[in-house]
Amino acid sequence: MRSKSSNPTCRRWATPTDDTAGARTNSEHRNPLIPESLQPDFIAALEAHQRGDRDHARTKLADIIARHPDCHEAIVMHADISAESGDLQTAEAALRRALEHAPEQPEYLQRLARILLRQRRPIEAAEIIERLIAMRPADATLHTELANIRLFARQFVPAEAAFRRAIDIDPASTTAGSGLILALAGQERNEDAVAEALRFTERCPHVAEPYARLAILLERLDRIDEARPHAEKAVAIDPSHGLALFALGTIQLRAGELEPARRTLERAEAVATDPNDRSAVARTLGQTLDRLARYDDAFRKFADSKPAAETLSPAIRHMTDELLRFIDASRRVLDPWAVASWGDAPSYKAFSTPPIFVVGFPASGATLCQRMLAAHGSFITADELPAMSKLREHLQRHAPGIENVPAYLARIGEPEIRILRAHYFNEIERLLARQDPIGKRLVDHHSINLAHLPIVRRIFPDAPVIVCIRDPRDAVLSAFMQPARGPVAAALLSSLPRAADYCNAIMQLWIHLREVLGLRSIEVRYENLVTNTEDEARRITTFLNETWNPDILRKINRGQAPDDFTPQSIGRWKNYRGHFGAALDSLNPLVKALGYTPD
């Protein structure tokens, strides 16, 4: 979270917005790089953009580009406005066109990298920033940007290295200092992260950010008493610092100081301008109001924390639609006879054993299971990595089409399976570069992999699968309340009705697949994890043919469980019954099918 937000989009062309701007002449808006004949349209585009009329601005810019195709200033402004509108593909195309005219223009390259990152293409984005670093090796902001891209891709080791280079160049960089803490925490080097956060406070003793970062880190390590003074100091340094207020409010919530937490978080909400910051504050404020039994107010805050449907890019809508069509096709196409026709799969060469898959509708206990296994010591865990999604995309290109992938699984033979396994393990090894897999079993945890179980069965037929199940009403509500992991999940869980639709689709698919795939699977119920944690943990380790390790429970007791892992989370949906509307009726058949009592 940032205390203040900055929007780089169109900053280069931003026009004055103070009270005297309207009296200024057009000559003050002129761009010397634009030919004289194009100046009126360029000024009109600037003024339209200033008014918020993006369509008119884009039309004027399109006119300029049509008459002057090599006017890369207009092309890039068109790209920026397209990016503002969420049309990232148009923005990318425009920037690449501008770079044809100005291939070494750093500002254009940096814009392109940011557009690629927004499209979840971090490798391409990183390559562009590395190209810029080669031009300007002493630019700390570029090293920080590269590090943030690595952080986004969960490549924590190279992220750490890039943040350290940025700090070497600019020790006072709060962005690099904050990022380095996150990179170390991502490697589960918690004590190193704490030590680095303390050094951050020493480098910048009169700045709120380092103390706020340290407080948040200690809170997440369940060291609440240590965290509080750092949060209080951050707020004392800057009473309007959003991250500091958020840290203090979160600590007050964890300590059960509900009214003080509410007041502090409302202050944080008042100063948060970045959408991600506002979302995090609204969600935590919703949790506070929930515990105060102000359920209607809490629901409004949870709704505020979700992205508006109109802000989702066309690319994300397309990815979401493809996933739902794949789920539907799997239910229609796959039956015991289809699966029997697949035949045997080859033995393993990479990794000594097949992966273990932990799946389930979000907020159903899969994250807790993954963390249990991470604490065991015999496993290396991949948390929410897209390796199986990459396999689905590969199959989709050859099927061709997403609806044809389930049927296409019968047509692939041993050579193709070996290739797909190699793709999978290469992707895993690339993403888990920070961990040593020798002697450990791979755990792939991703909620969306529940949809990918047909591919799992074809490529890894003897892979153990842990399927986490929860009362659909509680699961839908909790998934709606929690932050989504990735843009597709954000789209699917953006409202209670959408979350209910997705829960119906994915869990009805599981009910179908458990009868036809013949998976080596175990169902783990969230309610049992909450009320009989050790028994369920032992059942999981026995299923995986591993010995019991009490570190599993110590990890849970040290605050490693998800936030709502409490008995109070069972039946919570009843407090929000009025907000479900028709979604409650739509879930009732699934509720019954999974063995719960319908409303």
Side-chain angles (χ1 to χ4, degrees):
M1 174 180 288
R2 299 178 289 276
S3 59
K4 296 179 181 178
S5 68
S6 61
N7 181 6
T9 308
C10 286
R11 184 182 297 156
R12 182 173 185 175
W13 297 279
T15 51
T17 56
D18 57 79
D19 292 339
T20 65
R24 297 180 182 179
T25 65
N26 283 348
S27 64
E28 292 181 272
H29 302 318
R30 301 173 77 84
N31 187 318
L33 300 177
I34 299 293
E36 186 64 31
S37 63
L38 303 178
Q39 288 287 352
D41 280 340
F42 192 82
I43 293 169
L46 284 171
E47 292 174 344
H49 181 255
Q50 183 182 358
R51 295 193 306 270
D53 190 350
R54 293 173 182 163
D55 290 341
H56 186 63
R58 291 171 75 176
T59 298
K60 286 295 182 184
L61 291 166
D63 289 343
I64 293 174
I65 296 165
R67 285 182 283 152
H68 206 303
D70 60 348
C71 182
H72 50 87
E73 293 279 328
I75 295 171
V76 172
M77 187 176 178
H78 190 276
D80 285 347
I81 296 174
S82 296
E84 281 186 352
S85 304
D87 188 354
L88 301 182
Q89 292 177 328
T90 297
E92 178 188 349
L95 285 167
R96 292 193 184 279
R97 182 176 173 185
L99 284 164
E100 291 175 3
H101 301 290
E104 299 302 317
Q105 171 57 259
E107 190 173 341
Y108 300 173
L109 288 168
Q110 199 162 10
R111 276 175 160 78
L112 178 58
R114 290 169 179 168
I115 292 298
L116 292 170
L117 189 62
R118 286 180 63 185
Q119 296 180 79
R120 303 185 69 79
R121 293 157 62 185
I123 295 175
E124 297 170 73
E127 289 172 351
I128 291 173
I129 299 300
E130 287 173 337
R131 180 175 160 190
L132 285 169
I133 288 173
M135 299 179 194
R136 304 203 304 259
D139 189 332
T141 61
L142 288 177
H143 289 285
T144 300
E145 186 150 7
L146 176 62
N148 278 321
I149 292 170
R150 300 296 191 197
L151 202 62
F152 175 86
R154 304 179 67 83
Q155 297 174 335
F156 298 115
V157 170
E160 176 192 350
F163 280 127
R164 290 193 186 280
R165 285 193 291 272
I167 292 169
D168 287 342
I169 297 168
D170 180 9
S173 170
T174 56
T175 305
S178 295
L180 178 55
I181 295 167
L182 296 175
L184 292 168
Q187 299 172 65
E188 299 185 2
R189 292 165 52 190
N190 293 324
E191 293 308 316
D192 288 344
V194 171
E196 186 57 48
L198 287 168
R199 284 192 287 271
F200 190 16
T201 63
E202 293 167 1
R203 291 197 306 272
C204 307
H206 305 300
V207 179
E209 180 92 6
Y211 298 98
R213 286 289 173 196
L214 178 56
I216 286 175
L217 176 62
L218 291 169
E219 179 270 322
R220 289 177 181 172
L221 293 174
D222 213 31
R223 293 158 62 175
I224 305 298
D225 291 341
E226 293 178 66
R228 185 187 289 269
H230 297 293
E232 290 173 341
K233 184 164 186 176
V235 173
I237 291 172
D238 184 353
S240 64
H241 192 280
L243 183 66
L245 290 166
F246 177 74
L248 180 58
T250 302
I251 290 165
Q252 290 167 332
L253 173 60
R254 290 286 306 275
E257 301 166 9
L258 301 183
E259 279 298 337
R262 178 187 62 78
R263 291 192 294 270
T264 303
L265 290 166
E266 285 176 348
R267 288 171 60 195
E269 186 178 42
V271 299
T273 55
D274 179 83
N276 291 329
D277 295 353
R278 291 189 63 82
S279 176
V281 174
R283 184 168 52 251
T284 309
L285 185 51
Q287 293 167 357
T288 306
L289 293 166
D290 175 81
R291 289 182 59 181
L292 286 166
R294 292 172 52 179
Y295 301 120
D296 290 342
D297 291 337
F299 187 85
R300 281 191 288 272
K301 290 302 173 186
F302 290 125
D304 288 345
S305 75
K306 313 307 285 188
E310 59 271 16
T311 66
L312 298 172
S313 71
I316 298 304
R317 291 193 187 97
H318 177 70
M319 293 164 61
T320 303
D321 179 63
E322 282 196 332
L323 177 65
L324 294 174
R325 286 190 286 127
F326 178 69
I327 290 171
D328 180 65
S330 295
R331 286 189 67 187
R332 285 188 290 101
V333 171
L334 296 178
D335 57 35
W337 297 273
V339 175
S341 72
W342 290 354
D344 295 330
S347 59
Y348 297 93
K349 290 186 178 179
F351 286 74
S352 58
T353 57
I356 299 161
F357 291 92
V358 181
V359 301
F361 181 78
S364 294
T367 298
L368 179 61
C369 287
Q370 177 261 329
R371 292 177 182 174
M372 284 179 173
L373 296 176
H376 184 278
S378 298
F379 306 96
I380 181 171
T381 60
D383 183 21
E384 300 282 343
L385 299 182
M388 285 304 301
S389 294
K390 299 285 187 184
L391 283 197
R392 191 192 76 207
E393 292 169 6
H394 178 89
L395 290 165
Q396 182 178 338
R397 288 192 295 271
H398 289 78
I402 192 69
E403 295 93 343
N404 298 320
V405 170
Y408 181 73
L409 293 174
R411 293 162 50 193
I412 61 175
E414 183 171 319
E416 291 87 353
I417 290 175
R418 291 192 186 280
I419 290 170
L420 290 167
R421 283 183 185 168
H423 283 323
Y424 174 85
F425 285 124
N426 287 341
E427 182 73 7
I428 288 290
E429 288 173 355
R430 182 182 68 80
L431 294 169
L432 293 181
R434 70 188 190 279
Q435 300 187 48
D436 181 5
I438 302 301
K440 295 185 177 181
R441 299 171 67 184
L442 172 66
V443 176
D444 187 339
H445 159 238
H446 202 310
S447 61
I448 285 178
N449 281 346
L450 184 52
H452 295 147
L453 288 181
I455 302 173
V456 169
R457 170 63 176 80
R458 186 67 181 112
I459 309 302
F460 305 107
D462 51 349
V465 177
I466 299 170
V467 182
C468 296
I469 293 175
R470 185 179 185 181
D471 184 320
R473 297 158 296 192
D474 277 332
V476 164
L477 179 66
S478 288
F480 174 71
M481 289 177 167
Q482 293 178 10
R485 303 287 294 271
V488 172
L492 292 167
L493 305 173
S494 60
S495 69
L496 212 56
R498 282 186 64 83
D501 289 344
Y502 177 51
C503 184
N504 260 319
I506 197 73
M507 294 311 298
Q508 291 290 0
L509 175 66
W510 166 242
I511 290 169
H512 175 72
L513 294 180
R514 71 183 176 187
E515 302 299 324
V516 304
L517 287 185
L519 289 164
R520 182 187 163 203
S521 64
I522 182 175
E523 290 185 349
V524 176
R525 293 191 178 259
Y526 176 93
E527 294 79 11
N528 293 338
L529 278 174
V530 170
T531 57
N532 300 293
T533 305
E534 181 173 346
D535 289 347
E536 283 301 288
R538 287 181 178 275
R539 192 167 75 93
I540 292 168
T541 53
T542 299
F543 168 70
L544 297 174
N545 297 316
E546 296 287 346
T547 57
W548 172 248
N549 185 341
D551 281 348
I552 290 175
L553 298 181
R554 284 198 288 270
K555 270 279 190 178
I556 297 171
N557 293 335
R558 286 180 60 246
Q560 295 299 312
D563 290 343
D564 71 341
F565 182 68
T566 62
Q568 288 74 29
S569 63
I570 299 174
R572 179 188 282 165
W573 69 270
K574 296 174 184 176
N575 298 327
Y576 295 87
R577 182 191 300 271
H579 294 282
F580 272 85
L584 202 57
D585 291 334
S586 73
L587 286 170
N588 270 336
L590 177 62
V591 168
K592 185 176 181 181
L594 291 176
Y596 296 94
T597 303
D599 186 38

PDB file of all heavy atoms in Angstrom, residues 423-445:
ATOM      1  N   HIS A 423       7.195 -29.125 -20.179  1.00  0.00           N
ATOM      2  CA  HIS A 423       6.737 -27.734 -20.101  1.00  0.00           C
ATOM      3  C   HIS A 423       6.344 -27.384 -18.668  1.00  0.00           C
ATOM      4  O   HIS A 423       6.704 -26.316 -18.150  1.00  0.00           O
ATOM      5  CB  HIS A 423       5.531 -27.517 -21.018  1.00  0.00           C
ATOM      6  CG  HIS A 423       5.862 -27.403 -22.473  1.00  0.00           C
ATOM      7  ND1 HIS A 423       6.991 -26.773 -22.934  1.00  0.00           N
ATOM      8  CD2 HIS A 423       5.215 -27.846 -23.582  1.00  0.00           C
ATOM      9  CE1 HIS A 423       7.031 -26.826 -24.250  1.00  0.00           C
ATOM     10  NE2 HIS A 423       5.965 -27.480 -24.665  1.00  0.00           N
ATOM     11  N   TYR A 424       5.584 -28.270 -18.038  1.00  0.00           N
ATOM     12  CA  TYR A 424       5.101 -28.022 -16.686  1.00  0.00           C
ATOM     13  C   TYR A 424       6.262 -27.877 -15.708  1.00  0.00           C
ATOM     14  O   TYR A 424       6.348 -26.886 -14.959  1.00  0.00           O
ATOM     15  CB  TYR A 424       4.169 -29.157 -16.246  1.00  0.00           C
ATOM     16  CG  TYR A 424       3.729 -29.068 -14.805  1.00  0.00           C
ATOM     17  CD1 TYR A 424       2.643 -28.290 -14.442  1.00  0.00           C
ATOM     18  CD2 TYR A 424       4.411 -29.761 -13.807  1.00  0.00           C
ATOM     19  CE1 TYR A 424       2.244 -28.196 -13.119  1.00  0.00           C
ATOM     20  CE2 TYR A 424       4.016 -29.680 -12.480  1.00  0.00           C
ATOM     21  CZ  TYR A 424       2.937 -28.901 -12.138  1.00  0.00           C
ATOM     22  OH  TYR A 424       2.545 -28.809 -10.830  1.00  0.00           O
ATOM     23  N   PHE A 425       7.172 -28.863 -15.692  1.00  0.00           N
ATOM     24  CA  PHE A 425       8.261 -28.829 -14.727  1.00  0.00           C
ATOM     25  C   PHE A 425       9.232 -27.684 -15.003  1.00  0.00           C
ATOM     26  O   PHE A 425       9.786 -27.090 -14.072  1.00  0.00           O
ATOM     27  CB  PHE A 425       8.995 -30.169 -14.707  1.00  0.00           C
ATOM     28  CG  PHE A 425       8.233 -31.266 -14.011  1.00  0.00           C
ATOM     29  CD1 PHE A 425       7.937 -32.451 -14.661  1.00  0.00           C
ATOM     30  CD2 PHE A 425       7.802 -31.109 -12.709  1.00  0.00           C
ATOM     31  CE1 PHE A 425       7.231 -33.457 -14.021  1.00  0.00           C
ATOM     32  CE2 PHE A 425       7.100 -32.104 -12.059  1.00  0.00           C
ATOM     33  CZ  PHE A 425       6.810 -33.284 -12.715  1.00  0.00           C
ATOM     34  N   ASN A 426       9.438 -27.352 -16.270  1.00  0.00           N
ATOM     35  CA  ASN A 426      10.295 -26.201 -16.579  1.00  0.00           C
ATOM     36  C   ASN A 426       9.694 -24.911 -16.026  1.00  0.00           C
ATOM     37  O   ASN A 426      10.402 -24.057 -15.499  1.00  0.00           O
ATOM     38  CB  ASN A 426      10.487 -26.078 -18.099  1.00  0.00           C
ATOM     39  CG  ASN A 426      11.405 -27.149 -18.658  1.00  0.00           C
ATOM     40  OD1 ASN A 426      12.175 -27.761 -17.918  1.00  0.00           O
ATOM     41  ND2 ASN A 426      11.314 -27.383 -19.956  1.00  0.00           N
ATOM     42  N   GLU A 427       8.379 -24.779 -16.179  1.00  0.00           N
ATOM     43  CA  GLU A 427       7.708 -23.589 -15.661  1.00  0.00           C
ATOM     44  C   GLU A 427       7.797 -23.547 -14.139  1.00  0.00           C
ATOM     45  O   GLU A 427       8.080 -22.496 -13.547  1.00  0.00           O
ATOM     46  CB  GLU A 427       6.240 -23.575 -16.111  1.00  0.00           C
ATOM     47  CG  GLU A 427       5.443 -22.364 -15.668  1.00  0.00           C
ATOM     48  CD  GLU A 427       5.801 -21.096 -16.427  1.00  0.00           C
ATOM     49  OE1 GLU A 427       6.580 -21.177 -17.394  1.00  0.00           O
ATOM     50  OE2 GLU A 427       5.301 -20.017 -16.045  1.00  0.00           O
ATOM     51  N   ILE A 428       7.582 -24.690 -13.495  1.00  0.00           N
ATOM     52  CA  ILE A 428       7.672 -24.750 -12.039  1.00  0.00           C
ATOM     53  C   ILE A 428       9.083 -24.401 -11.571  1.00  0.00           C
ATOM     54  O   ILE A 428       9.279 -23.602 -10.645  1.00  0.00           O
ATOM     55  CB  ILE A 428       7.265 -26.148 -11.527  1.00  0.00           C
ATOM     56  CG1 ILE A 428       5.753 -26.361 -11.672  1.00  0.00           C
ATOM     57  CG2 ILE A 428       7.694 -26.351 -10.079  1.00  0.00           C
ATOM     58  CD1 ILE A 428       4.897 -25.536 -10.735  1.00  0.00           C
ATOM     59  N   GLU A 429      10.087 -24.999 -12.210  1.00  0.00           N
ATOM     60  CA  GLU A 429      11.463 -24.741 -11.795  1.00  0.00           C
ATOM     61  C   GLU A 429      11.840 -23.273 -12.004  1.00  0.00           C
ATOM     62  O   GLU A 429      12.562 -22.685 -11.200  1.00  0.00           O
ATOM     63  CB  GLU A 429      12.411 -25.661 -12.564  1.00  0.00           C
ATOM     64  CG  GLU A 429      12.314 -27.113 -12.096  1.00  0.00           C
ATOM     65  CD  GLU A 429      13.121 -28.054 -12.973  1.00  0.00           C
ATOM     66  OE1 GLU A 429      13.680 -27.594 -13.996  1.00  0.00           O
ATOM     67  OE2 GLU A 429      13.210 -29.246 -12.642  1.00  0.00           O
ATOM     68  N   ARG A 430      11.336 -22.671 -13.082  1.00  0.00           N
ATOM     69  CA  ARG A 430      11.627 -21.260 -13.324  1.00  0.00           C
ATOM     70  C   ARG A 430      10.996 -20.390 -12.241  1.00  0.00           C
ATOM     71  O   ARG A 430      11.631 -19.463 -11.730  1.00  0.00           O
ATOM     72  CB  ARG A 430      11.093 -20.845 -14.699  1.00  0.00           C
ATOM     73  CG  ARG A 430      11.390 -19.396 -15.070  1.00  0.00           C
ATOM     74  CD  ARG A 430      10.797 -19.044 -16.417  1.00  0.00           C
ATOM     75  NE  ARG A 430       9.346 -19.014 -16.396  1.00  0.00           N
ATOM     76  CZ  ARG A 430       8.636 -17.983 -15.942  1.00  0.00           C
ATOM     77  NH1 ARG A 430       9.250 -16.907 -15.458  1.00  0.00           N
ATOM     78  NH2 ARG A 430       7.323 -18.018 -15.953  1.00  0.00           N
ATOM     79  N   LEU A 431       9.760 -20.698 -11.876  1.00  0.00           N
ATOM     80  CA  LEU A 431       9.051 -19.887 -10.899  1.00  0.00           C
ATOM     81  C   LEU A 431       9.506 -20.150  -9.470  1.00  0.00           C
ATOM     82  O   LEU A 431       9.348 -19.308  -8.598  1.00  0.00           O
ATOM     83  CB  LEU A 431       7.543 -20.133 -11.016  1.00  0.00           C
ATOM     84  CG  LEU A 431       6.922 -19.661 -12.344  1.00  0.00           C
ATOM     85  CD1 LEU A 431       5.506 -20.190 -12.478  1.00  0.00           C
ATOM     86  CD2 LEU A 431       6.925 -18.140 -12.428  1.00  0.00           C
ATOM     87  N   LEU A 432      10.075 -21.346  -9.227  1.00  0.00           N
ATOM     88  CA  LEU A 432      10.528 -21.699  -7.890  1.00  0.00           C
ATOM     89  C   LEU A 432      12.044 -21.660  -7.800  1.00  0.00           C
ATOM     90  O   LEU A 432      12.640 -22.433  -7.057  1.00  0.00           O
ATOM     91  CB  LEU A 432      10.021 -23.094  -7.497  1.00  0.00           C
ATOM     92  CG  LEU A 432       8.507 -23.233  -7.310  1.00  0.00           C
ATOM     93  CD1 LEU A 432       8.164 -24.647  -6.904  1.00  0.00           C
ATOM     94  CD2 LEU A 432       7.993 -22.253  -6.281  1.00  0.00           C
ATOM     95  N   ALA A 433      12.663 -20.761  -8.548  1.00  0.00           N
ATOM     96  CA  ALA A 433      14.124 -20.692  -8.567  1.00  0.00           C
ATOM     97  C   ALA A 433      14.704 -20.449  -7.182  1.00  0.00           C
ATOM     98  O   ALA A 433      15.846 -20.782  -6.902  1.00  0.00           O
ATOM     99  CB  ALA A 433      14.578 -19.599  -9.527  1.00  0.00           C
ATOM    100  N   ARG A 434      13.910 -19.902  -6.273  1.00  0.00           N
ATOM    101  CA  ARG A 434      14.399 -19.580  -4.934  1.00  0.00           C
ATOM    102  C   ARG A 434      14.487 -20.811  -4.042  1.00  0.00           C
ATOM    103  O   ARG A 434      15.030 -20.736  -2.939  1.00  0.00           O
ATOM    104  CB  ARG A 434      13.468 -18.559  -4.278  1.00  0.00           C
ATOM    105  CG  ARG A 434      12.103 -19.129  -3.922  1.00  0.00           C
ATOM    106  CD  ARG A 434      11.140 -18.043  -3.454  1.00  0.00           C
ATOM    107  NE  ARG A 434       9.922 -18.570  -2.903  1.00  0.00           N
ATOM    108  CZ  ARG A 434       8.893 -18.988  -3.624  1.00  0.00           C
ATOM    109  NH1 ARG A 434       8.952 -18.974  -4.934  1.00  0.00           N
ATOM    110  NH2 ARG A 434       7.804 -19.441  -3.030  1.00  0.00           N
ATOM    111  N   GLN A 435      13.941 -21.945  -4.450  1.00  0.00           N
ATOM    112  CA  GLN A 435      13.862 -23.101  -3.563  1.00  0.00           C
ATOM    113  C   GLN A 435      14.639 -24.280  -4.145  1.00  0.00           C
ATOM    114  O   GLN A 435      14.774 -24.418  -5.361  1.00  0.00           O
ATOM    115  CB  GLN A 435      12.396 -23.521  -3.357  1.00  0.00           C
ATOM    116  CG  GLN A 435      11.543 -22.416  -2.732  1.00  0.00           C
ATOM    117  CD  GLN A 435      10.150 -22.900  -2.380  1.00  0.00           C
ATOM    118  OE1 GLN A 435       9.992 -23.949  -1.769  1.00  0.00           O
ATOM    119  NE2 GLN A 435       9.141 -22.147  -2.758  1.00  0.00           N
ATOM    120  N   ASP A 436      15.131 -25.132  -3.262  1.00  0.00           N
ATOM    121  CA  ASP A 436      15.880 -26.324  -3.662  1.00  0.00           C
ATOM    122  C   ASP A 436      14.936 -27.523  -3.621  1.00  0.00           C
ATOM    123  O   ASP A 436      14.500 -27.939  -2.543  1.00  0.00           O
ATOM    124  CB  ASP A 436      17.053 -26.539  -2.713  1.00  0.00           C
ATOM    125  CG  ASP A 436      17.882 -27.760  -3.097  1.00  0.00           C
ATOM    126  OD1 ASP A 436      17.596 -28.360  -4.149  1.00  0.00           O
ATOM    127  OD2 ASP A 436      18.808 -28.093  -2.330  1.00  0.00           O
ATOM    128  N   PRO A 437      14.629 -28.140  -4.790  1.00  0.00           N
ATOM    129  CA  PRO A 437      13.660 -29.229  -4.800  1.00  0.00           C
ATOM    130  C   PRO A 437      14.238 -30.594  -4.450  1.00  0.00           C
ATOM    131  O   PRO A 437      13.501 -31.568  -4.369  1.00  0.00           O
ATOM    132  CB  PRO A 437      13.179 -29.224  -6.263  1.00  0.00           C
ATOM    133  CG  PRO A 437      14.382 -28.762  -7.032  1.00  0.00           C
ATOM    134  CD  PRO A 437      15.079 -27.778  -6.148  1.00  0.00           C
ATOM    135  N   ILE A 438      15.550 -30.693  -4.269  1.00  0.00           N
ATOM    136  CA  ILE A 438      16.182 -31.991  -4.078  1.00  0.00           C
ATOM    137  C   ILE A 438      15.589 -32.693  -2.856  1.00  0.00           C
ATOM    138  O   ILE A 438      15.571 -32.153  -1.747  1.00  0.00           O
ATOM    139  CB  ILE A 438      17.709 -31.845  -3.922  1.00  0.00           C
ATOM    140  CG1 ILE A 438      18.313 -31.146  -5.146  1.00  0.00           C
ATOM    141  CG2 ILE A 438      18.354 -33.207  -3.692  1.00  0.00           C
ATOM    142  CD1 ILE A 438      18.055 -31.872  -6.447  1.00  0.00           C
ATOM    143  N   GLY A 439      15.111 -33.914  -3.086  1.00  0.00           N
ATOM    144  CA  GLY A 439      14.590 -34.729  -2.002  1.00  0.00           C
ATOM    145  C   GLY A 439      13.219 -34.328  -1.508  1.00  0.00           C
ATOM    146  O   GLY A 439      12.753 -34.871  -0.499  1.00  0.00           O
ATOM    147  N   LYS A 440      12.561 -33.386  -2.196  1.00  0.00           N
ATOM    148  CA  LYS A 440      11.250 -32.933  -1.748  1.00  0.00           C
ATOM    149  C   LYS A 440      10.195 -33.197  -2.814  1.00  0.00           C
ATOM    150  O   LYS A 440      10.498 -33.274  -3.999  1.00  0.00           O
ATOM    151  CB  LYS A 440      11.285 -31.433  -1.413  1.00  0.00           C
ATOM    152  CG  LYS A 440      12.177 -31.104  -0.222  1.00  0.00           C
ATOM    153  CD  LYS A 440      12.083 -29.646   0.158  1.00  0.00           C
ATOM    154  CE  LYS A 440      12.928 -29.332   1.386  1.00  0.00           C
ATOM    155  NZ  LYS A 440      12.822 -27.920   1.785  1.00  0.00           N
ATOM    156  N   ARG A 441       8.964 -33.314  -2.353  1.00  0.00           N
ATOM    157  CA  ARG A 441       7.835 -33.523  -3.262  1.00  0.00           C
ATOM    158  C   ARG A 441       7.176 -32.180  -3.556  1.00  0.00           C
ATOM    159  O   ARG A 441       7.025 -31.343  -2.671  1.00  0.00           O
ATOM    160  CB  ARG A 441       6.829 -34.492  -2.628  1.00  0.00           C
ATOM    161  CG  ARG A 441       7.415 -35.858  -2.335  1.00  0.00           C
ATOM    162  CD  ARG A 441       6.461 -36.716  -1.505  1.00  0.00           C
ATOM    163  NE  ARG A 441       5.261 -37.072  -2.251  1.00  0.00           N
ATOM    164  CZ  ARG A 441       4.242 -37.758  -1.727  1.00  0.00           C
ATOM    165  NH1 ARG A 441       4.288 -38.124  -0.440  1.00  0.00           N
ATOM    166  NH2 ARG A 441       3.204 -38.067  -2.459  1.00  0.00           N
ATOM    167  N   LEU A 442       6.776 -32.032  -4.804  1.00  0.00           N
ATOM    168  CA  LEU A 442       6.187 -30.774  -5.248  1.00  0.00           C
ATOM    169  C   LEU A 442       4.702 -30.727  -4.903  1.00  0.00           C
ATOM    170  O   LEU A 442       3.949 -31.660  -5.202  1.00  0.00           O
ATOM    171  CB  LEU A 442       6.369 -30.624  -6.757  1.00  0.00           C
ATOM    172  CG  LEU A 442       5.645 -29.453  -7.416  1.00  0.00           C
ATOM    173  CD1 LEU A 442       6.213 -28.129  -6.922  1.00  0.00           C
ATOM    174  CD2 LEU A 442       5.738 -29.541  -8.930  1.00  0.00           C
ATOM    175  N   VAL A 443       4.271 -29.605  -4.292  1.00  0.00           N
ATOM    176  CA  VAL A 443       2.862 -29.349  -4.022  1.00  0.00           C
ATOM    177  C   VAL A 443       2.441 -28.154  -4.869  1.00  0.00           C
ATOM    178  O   VAL A 443       2.983 -27.063  -4.719  1.00  0.00           O
ATOM    179  CB  VAL A 443       2.611 -29.043  -2.531  1.00  0.00           C
ATOM    180  CG1 VAL A 443       1.146 -28.691  -2.302  1.00  0.00           C
ATOM    181  CG2 VAL A 443       3.009 -30.237  -1.671  1.00  0.00           C
ATOM    182  N   ASP A 444       1.501 -28.359  -5.771  1.00  0.00           N
ATOM    183  CA  ASP A 444       0.986 -27.299  -6.637  1.00  0.00           C
ATOM    184  C   ASP A 444      -0.382 -26.881  -6.105  1.00  0.00           C
ATOM    185  O   ASP A 444      -1.365 -27.608  -6.242  1.00  0.00           O
ATOM    186  CB  ASP A 444       0.879 -27.802  -8.077  1.00  0.00           C
ATOM    187  CG  ASP A 444       0.514 -26.695  -9.073  1.00  0.00           C
ATOM    188  OD1 ASP A 444      -0.041 -25.671  -8.639  1.00  0.00           O
ATOM    189  OD2 ASP A 444       0.771 -26.883 -10.270  1.00  0.00           O
ATOM    190  N   HIS A 445      -0.426 -25.696  -5.503  1.00  0.00           N
ATOM    191  CA  HIS A 445      -1.677 -25.191  -4.928  1.00  0.00           C
ATOM    192  C   HIS A 445      -2.192 -24.046  -5.771  1.00  0.00           C
ATOM    193  O   HIS A 445      -1.537 -23.007  -5.901  1.00  0.00           O
ATOM    194  CB  HIS A 445      -1.443 -24.722  -3.489  1.00  0.00           C
ATOM    195  CG  HIS A 445      -2.496 -23.767  -2.998  1.00  0.00           C
ATOM    196  ND1 HIS A 445      -2.214 -22.494  -2.545  1.00  0.00           N
ATOM    197  CD2 HIS A 445      -3.844 -23.884  -2.919  1.00  0.00           C
ATOM    198  CE1 HIS A 445      -3.324 -21.883  -2.195  1.00  0.00           C
ATOM    199  NE2 HIS A 445      -4.338 -22.702  -2.418  1.00  0.00           N
TER     200      HIS A 445
END
